[in-house]
Short mmCIF file of all heavy atoms in Angstrom, two decimals:
data_model
loop_
_atom_site.label_atom_id
_atom_site.label_comp_id
_atom_site.label_asym_id
_atom_site.label_seq_id
_atom_site.Cartn_x
_atom_site.Cartn_y
_atom_site.Cartn_z
N LEU A 1 -42.59 -108.97 39.63
CA LEU A 1 -42.63 -109.01 41.08
C LEU A 1 -41.77 -107.91 41.68
O LEU A 1 -42.17 -107.24 42.63
CB LEU A 1 -42.14 -110.38 41.58
CG LEU A 1 -42.10 -110.57 43.10
CD1 LEU A 1 -43.48 -110.35 43.72
CD2 LEU A 1 -41.58 -111.96 43.45
N ILE A 2 -40.58 -107.69 41.11
CA ILE A 2 -39.72 -106.61 41.57
C ILE A 2 -40.43 -105.26 41.42
O ILE A 2 -40.39 -104.41 42.31
CB ILE A 2 -38.38 -106.61 40.79
CG1 ILE A 2 -37.55 -107.83 41.17
CG2 ILE A 2 -37.59 -105.34 41.06
CD1 ILE A 2 -36.30 -108.02 40.32
N THR A 3 -41.10 -105.06 40.28
CA THR A 3 -41.84 -103.82 40.05
C THR A 3 -42.93 -103.63 41.11
O THR A 3 -43.10 -102.53 41.65
CB THR A 3 -42.48 -103.84 38.65
OG1 THR A 3 -41.45 -103.96 37.66
CG2 THR A 3 -43.27 -102.58 38.39
N ALA A 4 -43.64 -104.71 41.43
CA ALA A 4 -44.69 -104.64 42.44
C ALA A 4 -44.11 -104.37 43.82
O ALA A 4 -44.69 -103.63 44.62
CB ALA A 4 -45.50 -105.93 42.45
N ARG A 5 -42.96 -104.96 44.13
CA ARG A 5 -42.35 -104.75 45.43
C ARG A 5 -41.88 -103.30 45.61
O ARG A 5 -41.90 -102.76 46.72
CB ARG A 5 -41.16 -105.71 45.62
CG ARG A 5 -41.54 -107.17 45.75
CD ARG A 5 -42.47 -107.45 46.92
NE ARG A 5 -41.97 -106.97 48.18
CZ ARG A 5 -41.05 -107.60 48.93
NH1 ARG A 5 -40.54 -108.75 48.51
NH2 ARG A 5 -40.67 -107.10 50.08
N LYS A 6 -41.44 -102.67 44.54
CA LYS A 6 -41.05 -101.26 44.61
C LYS A 6 -42.27 -100.41 45.00
O LYS A 6 -42.16 -99.49 45.82
CB LYS A 6 -40.47 -100.80 43.28
CG LYS A 6 -39.14 -101.44 42.93
CD LYS A 6 -38.73 -101.09 41.51
CE LYS A 6 -37.44 -101.80 41.11
NZ LYS A 6 -37.09 -101.56 39.69
N LYS A 7 -43.40 -100.71 44.38
CA LYS A 7 -44.64 -100.00 44.72
C LYS A 7 -44.99 -100.24 46.18
O LYS A 7 -45.43 -99.32 46.89
CB LYS A 7 -45.77 -100.46 43.80
CG LYS A 7 -47.14 -99.91 44.15
CD LYS A 7 -48.17 -100.40 43.13
CE LYS A 7 -49.58 -99.96 43.50
NZ LYS A 7 -50.14 -100.73 44.62
N GLU A 8 -44.81 -101.45 46.64
CA GLU A 8 -45.10 -101.80 48.03
C GLU A 8 -44.20 -101.00 48.98
O GLU A 8 -44.65 -100.49 50.01
CB GLU A 8 -44.87 -103.30 48.22
CG GLU A 8 -45.31 -103.84 49.57
CD GLU A 8 -45.08 -105.34 49.66
OE1 GLU A 8 -44.70 -105.97 48.65
OE2 GLU A 8 -45.29 -105.89 50.75
N ALA A 9 -42.92 -100.87 48.60
CA ALA A 9 -41.97 -100.12 49.43
C ALA A 9 -42.36 -98.65 49.50
O ALA A 9 -42.31 -98.03 50.58
CB ALA A 9 -40.55 -100.27 48.87
N VAL A 10 -42.75 -98.08 48.37
CA VAL A 10 -43.15 -96.67 48.35
C VAL A 10 -44.39 -96.47 49.22
O VAL A 10 -44.50 -95.46 49.94
CB VAL A 10 -43.39 -96.19 46.91
CG1 VAL A 10 -44.03 -94.80 46.90
CG2 VAL A 10 -42.09 -96.17 46.13
N HIS A 11 -45.32 -97.42 49.18
CA HIS A 11 -46.50 -97.33 50.05
C HIS A 11 -46.08 -97.25 51.52
O HIS A 11 -46.60 -96.44 52.29
CB HIS A 11 -47.40 -98.53 49.84
CG HIS A 11 -48.48 -98.64 50.88
ND1 HIS A 11 -48.34 -99.39 52.02
CD2 HIS A 11 -49.71 -98.06 50.96
CE1 HIS A 11 -49.43 -99.28 52.76
NE2 HIS A 11 -50.28 -98.49 52.14
N ASP A 12 -45.13 -98.09 51.92
CA ASP A 12 -44.68 -98.09 53.31
C ASP A 12 -44.05 -96.75 53.68
O ASP A 12 -44.22 -96.25 54.79
CB ASP A 12 -43.68 -99.22 53.55
CG ASP A 12 -44.31 -100.59 53.42
OD1 ASP A 12 -45.55 -100.69 53.54
OD2 ASP A 12 -43.57 -101.58 53.18
N ILE A 13 -43.31 -96.16 52.75
CA ILE A 13 -42.64 -94.87 53.01
C ILE A 13 -43.67 -93.75 53.09
O ILE A 13 -43.59 -92.89 53.98
CB ILE A 13 -41.59 -94.60 51.92
CG1 ILE A 13 -40.48 -95.66 51.99
CG2 ILE A 13 -41.00 -93.20 52.08
CD1 ILE A 13 -39.52 -95.62 50.82
N LEU A 14 -44.63 -93.76 52.18
CA LEU A 14 -45.70 -92.76 52.23
C LEU A 14 -46.46 -92.85 53.55
O LEU A 14 -46.83 -91.82 54.13
CB LEU A 14 -46.68 -92.96 51.07
CG LEU A 14 -46.15 -92.70 49.65
CD1 LEU A 14 -47.21 -93.11 48.63
CD2 LEU A 14 -45.76 -91.25 49.47
N SER A 15 -46.67 -94.06 54.04
CA SER A 15 -47.41 -94.27 55.28
C SER A 15 -46.67 -93.70 56.48
O SER A 15 -47.29 -93.42 57.52
CB SER A 15 -47.66 -95.77 55.49
OG SER A 15 -48.47 -96.29 54.47
N LEU A 16 -45.36 -93.53 56.35
CA LEU A 16 -44.57 -92.94 57.43
C LEU A 16 -44.47 -91.42 57.30
O LEU A 16 -43.75 -90.78 58.07
CB LEU A 16 -43.17 -93.56 57.44
CG LEU A 16 -43.12 -95.04 57.88
CD1 LEU A 16 -41.71 -95.61 57.68
CD2 LEU A 16 -43.54 -95.18 59.33
N GLY A 17 -45.18 -90.87 56.32
CA GLY A 17 -45.27 -89.41 56.22
C GLY A 17 -44.22 -88.74 55.35
O GLY A 17 -44.07 -87.52 55.40
N PHE A 18 -43.52 -89.52 54.51
CA PHE A 18 -42.49 -88.95 53.65
C PHE A 18 -42.98 -88.87 52.20
O PHE A 18 -43.61 -89.80 51.69
CB PHE A 18 -41.22 -89.81 53.69
CG PHE A 18 -40.46 -89.71 54.97
CD1 PHE A 18 -40.79 -90.51 56.05
CD2 PHE A 18 -39.41 -88.81 55.11
CE1 PHE A 18 -40.10 -90.43 57.26
CE2 PHE A 18 -38.71 -88.72 56.30
CZ PHE A 18 -39.05 -89.52 57.38
N ASP A 19 -42.67 -87.74 51.55
CA ASP A 19 -42.87 -87.63 50.11
C ASP A 19 -41.73 -88.38 49.43
O ASP A 19 -40.60 -88.41 49.94
CB ASP A 19 -42.85 -86.16 49.67
CG ASP A 19 -43.93 -85.34 50.35
OD1 ASP A 19 -44.95 -85.92 50.78
OD2 ASP A 19 -43.74 -84.11 50.45
N VAL A 20 -41.99 -88.95 48.26
CA VAL A 20 -41.03 -89.83 47.62
C VAL A 20 -40.73 -89.40 46.19
O VAL A 20 -41.66 -89.22 45.38
CB VAL A 20 -41.52 -91.29 47.61
CG1 VAL A 20 -40.51 -92.20 46.90
CG2 VAL A 20 -41.77 -91.79 49.03
N LEU A 21 -39.45 -89.23 45.89
CA LEU A 21 -38.99 -89.17 44.51
C LEU A 21 -38.41 -90.54 44.22
O LEU A 21 -37.34 -90.89 44.72
CB LEU A 21 -37.93 -88.09 44.31
CG LEU A 21 -37.24 -88.05 42.93
CD1 LEU A 21 -38.26 -87.85 41.82
CD2 LEU A 21 -36.17 -86.98 42.88
N PHE A 22 -39.13 -91.35 43.46
CA PHE A 22 -38.68 -92.71 43.18
C PHE A 22 -38.05 -92.79 41.80
O PHE A 22 -38.58 -92.25 40.83
CB PHE A 22 -39.82 -93.72 43.26
CG PHE A 22 -39.34 -95.12 42.98
CD1 PHE A 22 -38.81 -95.89 44.01
CD2 PHE A 22 -39.38 -95.65 41.70
CE1 PHE A 22 -38.31 -97.15 43.77
CE2 PHE A 22 -38.90 -96.92 41.45
CZ PHE A 22 -38.36 -97.68 42.48
N SER A 23 -36.93 -93.50 41.72
CA SER A 23 -36.27 -93.71 40.44
C SER A 23 -35.76 -95.13 40.34
O SER A 23 -35.16 -95.66 41.28
CB SER A 23 -35.08 -92.73 40.30
OG SER A 23 -34.35 -93.00 39.12
N ASP A 24 -35.98 -95.77 39.21
CA ASP A 24 -35.33 -97.04 38.94
C ASP A 24 -33.83 -96.81 38.82
O ASP A 24 -33.38 -95.70 38.50
CB ASP A 24 -35.87 -97.66 37.65
CG ASP A 24 -37.16 -98.44 37.85
OD1 ASP A 24 -37.48 -98.76 39.02
OD2 ASP A 24 -37.83 -98.73 36.86
N THR A 25 -33.07 -97.86 39.02
CA THR A 25 -31.61 -97.71 38.98
C THR A 25 -31.07 -97.49 37.58
O THR A 25 -29.93 -97.04 37.42
CB THR A 25 -30.93 -98.96 39.57
OG1 THR A 25 -31.43 -100.13 38.91
CG2 THR A 25 -31.19 -99.07 41.06
N ASP A 26 -31.86 -97.77 36.55
CA ASP A 26 -31.37 -97.56 35.18
C ASP A 26 -31.68 -96.17 34.64
O ASP A 26 -31.48 -95.90 33.46
CB ASP A 26 -31.92 -98.64 34.24
CG ASP A 26 -33.44 -98.63 34.16
OD1 ASP A 26 -34.08 -97.86 34.91
OD2 ASP A 26 -34.00 -99.41 33.37
N VAL A 27 -32.14 -95.28 35.52
CA VAL A 27 -32.40 -93.90 35.13
C VAL A 27 -31.13 -93.07 35.34
O VAL A 27 -30.51 -93.14 36.40
CB VAL A 27 -33.56 -93.30 35.94
CG1 VAL A 27 -33.68 -91.80 35.68
CG2 VAL A 27 -34.86 -94.01 35.61
N ALA A 28 -30.75 -92.30 34.35
CA ALA A 28 -29.57 -91.43 34.44
C ALA A 28 -30.04 -89.99 34.65
O ALA A 28 -30.58 -89.36 33.74
CB ALA A 28 -28.73 -91.55 33.18
N MET A 29 -29.85 -89.48 35.85
CA MET A 29 -30.27 -88.11 36.17
C MET A 29 -29.15 -87.14 35.76
O MET A 29 -28.30 -86.76 36.56
CB MET A 29 -30.58 -87.98 37.66
CG MET A 29 -31.75 -88.81 38.13
SD MET A 29 -32.25 -88.47 39.84
CE MET A 29 -30.77 -89.01 40.73
#
């Protein structure tokens, strides 16, 4: 469900016209 909600959030951000670099919190950049 958390994974699906992240996708849902990105959809909302894309709909507002923003490009998204999405990262889970366990990713070490």
